[in-house]
Amino acid sequence: MKRKGILSIVRTNPQFITIENLNIKGMMRSKRLANSFQQIGLGNIVDWFKIKCQDYGIELRQVDRFYPSSQICSDCGHTQPMPLNQRTYHCHHCGMIKDRDINASINLKQATDYTVIV
C-alpha cells in the first residue's frame, strides 16, 4: 500500500482509523519477511497515515503491539490461538468463519484500548 492506497482510505472520510503498533525492526530480521517489507515500504506507511489523517482531520489510533487482533472472534469476543499460516478464523465458541485479515480489521475497528497518535 503506497500513497494512493492510503489516500483512497482517508478520502472515504472515516471518523477514525486504527492501526497496530507493529515491531517492524523485529519483522525485518525475518529472512522470509524482510524483502517483502522493504518492497512495500512498511515503515513509511505509518508516517503517511499520520500526514494524511492530519490533513483530513481524521483521528489515527494505534493499538498496543500485543493486542491480539487476529486471535479474537469479532462476533462473540472469544479468544483462541491463530498460527500465522492459518488464513481463516473459525471460532470454536460461536462457529463464525471469516478471513483472518477481515476478522482482525473488524477487531481493530472495535478496539477500545488504543492511543490517539493524530
Side-chain angles (χ1 to χ4, degrees):
M1 178 186 309
K2 297 282 184 181
R3 292 181 215 173
K4 289 181 183 180
I6 292 170
L7 192 54
S8 68
I9 292 170
V10 297
R11 282 186 174 161
T12 65
N13 199 27
Q15 183 179 4
F16 61 87
I17 296 171
T18 307
I19 59 175
E20 293 178 289
N21 181 9
L22 299 174
N23 181 6
I24 295 170
K25 288 181 182 178
M27 293 176 174
M28 292 295 286
R29 287 189 284 248
S30 166
K31 291 178 183 178
R32 287 184 316 141
L33 301 175
N35 188 38
S36 297
F37 287 161
Q38 285 177 334
Q39 288 179 6
I40 63 171
L42 191 59
N44 296 325
I45 290 175
V46 174
D47 293 334
W48 278 106
F49 263 119
K50 286 178 183 178
I51 292 165
K52 291 302 169 188
C53 284
Q54 191 165 17
D55 289 349
Y56 282 76
I58 298 168
E59 182 176 272
L60 183 61
R61 301 172 176 180
Q62 189 172 54
V63 296
D64 184 72
R65 179 171 294 171
F66 301 105
Y67 178 73
S69 61
S70 62
Q71 299 177 15
I72 302 169
C73 174
S74 59
D75 282 2
C76 74
H78 175 73
T79 302
Q80 64 190 35
M82 264 304 276
L84 286 173
N85 65 347
Q86 192 172 339
R87 302 309 309 160
T88 304
Y89 188 97
H90 181 229
C91 182
H92 301 303
H93 187 258
C94 72
M96 183 275 298
I97 299 173
K98 280 190 179 110
D99 175 85
R100 172 196 187 101
D101 297 331
I102 299 294
N103 183 63
S105 66
I106 294 168
N107 286 326
L108 288 172
K109 183 178 179 182
Q110 296 173 351
T112 57
D113 189 15
Y114 55 83
T115 302
V116 176
I117 56 176
V118 170

